[in-house]
Amino acid sequence: MTYAELANKGILTQPVYEPGKPIDQVARELGLDPAGIIKLASNENPLGPSPKAVAAAARALQEAQLYPDGGYYVLRERLARKWGLGMDQFIIGDGSNEIIELLGHAFLAPGVECVMPQASFVVYKLVTLMFGAKPVEAPLASGLRQDLRALAAAVTPRTRFVFLASPANPVGTANTGEEIVELVRALPDHVILVFDEAYSEYLDQAPDLRPLMAEGRKIVCLRTFSKIYGLASLRVGYGYGPKELIAIVQRARQPFNVSAVAAAAAVAALDDAEFVERCRRENRAGLAQLGEGFARLGLEFVPGQGNFLLAKVGDGVAVFDALQRRGVITRPVKPYGLPEWLRVSVGTREQNTRLLNSLAAVLGKG
Ligand SMILES: *Cc1c(COP(=O)(O)O)cnc(C)c1O
């Protein structure tokens, strides 16, 4: 018998997730100096982590011999205060990606369906397939906007989750609060909305689903410290929702799933509001700079509201390759069914300029 015959079916259906390549790997593969490479491929924070978070992590590292507090009391207490919710409404994850997987452990099985917009974050599909459930994709509206009525229309008696990110990745578009409320009200009682808020901090006014939760609507929200908080390497995120839902998901969690170093950094990051505000401001300037640059190059782009933009460059993979040879790492989005588009994370002002100049050269418009 082969190992494949012995394996769980769900594991063999996993599409390969292609992460943005690390700078050192690209340097090795192309014989480039890593110091001359910039990475605008994974929506990381170009301003780094908050220095206060780094200091807190360094302090926690002094006690690396100890297991973390597996209840993550300090972090959950801080989050409860931030959101005005109970501590029992929070679960801490090894990145918010882990929360998606824990939700799968808790609620997914063969025979169940998960509805998501086309071109959604691939982890929704990975987790759905891992548990033998079926991903159902709802079509996008024009301009790569997520059509929430189409999402509601794709719900069946077998639907367990509706996945929605806003701003979405990779398309970058955000849905209005009104659209999202309408979606929630349209969902039948057997469906849980998994609302991914990975990029919410970049919005002026992020939709607030807490009142709907309080009404008894079935919703879980996901947040991450990987984006505006600049802690992607430490792997920490959280989910919040009704306490009955959170209690069930907690059962799927390993006792020490997040390091004390990451948890301490997360608390300090939450306390550094000034840093977050600066990141938001710089990101907005970066979005404008990239948008103007794309327009000057005659490139169509999606007016994204996260910390990245999609530009229509022709052959996305070819342009990605050519940029990479010039030491600029971006992300082709062909695996999402968008072969003509390239996703570019907002960098520093200098990095954005370098990207735009390299793009002009690659497209013969330099
Ligand atoms: C980056 C991202 C996340 C966060 O992932 P982590 O596991 O917390 O690093 C979640 N959802 C979307 C849509 C993202 O783009």
Side-chain angles (χ1 to χ4, degrees):
M1 266 194 137
T2 66
Y3 289 111
E5 284 163 340
L6 295 170
N8 295 332
K9 294 289 162 283
I11 217 75
L12 300 175
T13 59
Q14 291 287 289
V16 181
Y17 175 67
E18 284 192 45
K21 280 190 193 172
I23 287 176
D24 282 337
Q25 186 186 341
V26 171
R28 269 195 309 276
E29 287 175 4
L30 298 178
L32 300 173
D33 175 5
I37 296 179
I38 61 170
K39 185 180 174 206
L40 302 175
S42 302
N43 304 342
E44 292 148 338
N45 191 332
L47 303 182
S50 146
K52 290 180 182 163
V54 174
R59 281 195 300 277
L61 206 45
Q62 299 301 315
E63 299 205 314
Q65 80 283 9
L66 300 177
Y67 278 103
D69 164 17
Y72 302 101
Y73 184 92
V74 177
L75 178 53
R76 284 192 305 127
E77 201 276 329
R78 180 68 185 80
L79 289 168
R81 192 146 46 82
K82 174 182 169 72
W83 291 110
L85 298 171
M87 274 182 68
D88 52 4
Q89 295 188 263
F90 292 87
I91 179 167
I92 311 301
D94 187 34
S96 56
N97 279 342
E98 191 200 16
I99 313 270
I100 302 172
E101 184 179 342
L102 297 180
L103 284 164
H105 277 290
F107 292 106
L108 298 183
V112 156
E113 296 173 355
C114 295
V115 172
M116 59 197 82
Q118 230 171 38
S120 278
F121 189 47
V122 72
V123 175
Y124 310 151
K125 198 184 279 179
L126 291 174
V127 167
T128 301
L129 291 169
M130 180 155 22
F131 294 99
K134 185 177 152 199
V136 175
E137 294 187 306
L140 294 173
S142 65
L144 301 185
R145 273 186 51 80
Q146 302 191 117
D147 181 344
L148 302 196
R149 290 187 178 162
L151 211 56
V155 167
T156 73
R158 292 176 299 281
T159 306
R160 187 64 38 89
F161 290 150
V162 168
F163 285 107
L164 177 68
S166 178
N169 173 21
V171 293
T173 49
N175 291 95
T176 65
E178 292 75 37
E179 285 175 303
I180 295 167
V181 171
E182 183 189 305
L183 167 69
V184 170
R185 297 211 184 282
L187 294 179
D189 188 52
H190 66 278
V191 173
I192 302 169
L193 175 68
V194 181
F195 187 55
D196 186 339
E197 305 183 284
Y199 301 97
S200 283
E201 290 89 356
Y202 292 105
L203 297 174
D204 286 326
Q205 184 92 57
D208 179 1
L209 303 197
R210 287 172 297 171
L212 291 163
M213 278 178 199
E215 260 178 42
R217 299 285 171 178
K218 293 193 170 69
I219 300 168
V220 57
C221 295
L222 308 177
R223 292 258 174 168
T224 180
F225 288 94
S226 300
K227 305 288 158 59
I228 208 164
Y229 293 105
L231 298 174
S233 169
L234 291 185
R235 314 301 307 126
V236 52
Y238 61 99
Y240 62 101
K243 65 177 196 283
E244 297 79 8
L245 176 147
I246 295 295
I248 289 174
V249 186
Q250 288 283 16
R251 291 167 175 257
R253 187 177 67 81
Q254 293 292 319
F256 307 112
N257 60 326
V258 171
S259 76
V261 175
V267 172
L270 289 169
D271 286 337
D272 197 349
E274 209 173 296
F275 176 78
V276 172
E277 189 44 47
R278 182 159 71 88
C279 294
R280 195 178 355 252
R281 227 177 21 244
E282 300 259 335
N283 184 69
R284 211 162 290 145
L287 285 175
Q289 184 191 359
L290 287 176
E292 284 157 24
F294 292 146
R296 255 199 321 278
L297 293 171
L299 297 176
E300 188 185 330
F301 66 96
V302 180
Q305 299 192 56
N307 64 344
F308 57 91
L309 286 180
L310 272 192
K312 198 172 195 176
V313 295
D315 182 339
V317 173
V319 173
F320 156 78
D321 274 327
L323 286 171
Q324 190 160 260
R325 282 195 296 276
R326 292 168 176 265
V328 179
I329 315 176
T330 58
R331 185 75 73 94
V333 284
K334 186 176 173 189
Y336 290 90
L338 303 167
E340 298 176 309
W341 298 84
L342 192 68
R343 194 190 72 190
V344 178
S345 306
V346 173
T348 60
R349 178 151 198 91
E350 297 71 42
Q351 290 174 335
N352 299 335
T353 300
R354 170 136 172 236
L355 174 274
L356 290 169
N357 289 342
S358 304
L359 197 54
V362 162
L363 297 173
K365 299 178 180 184

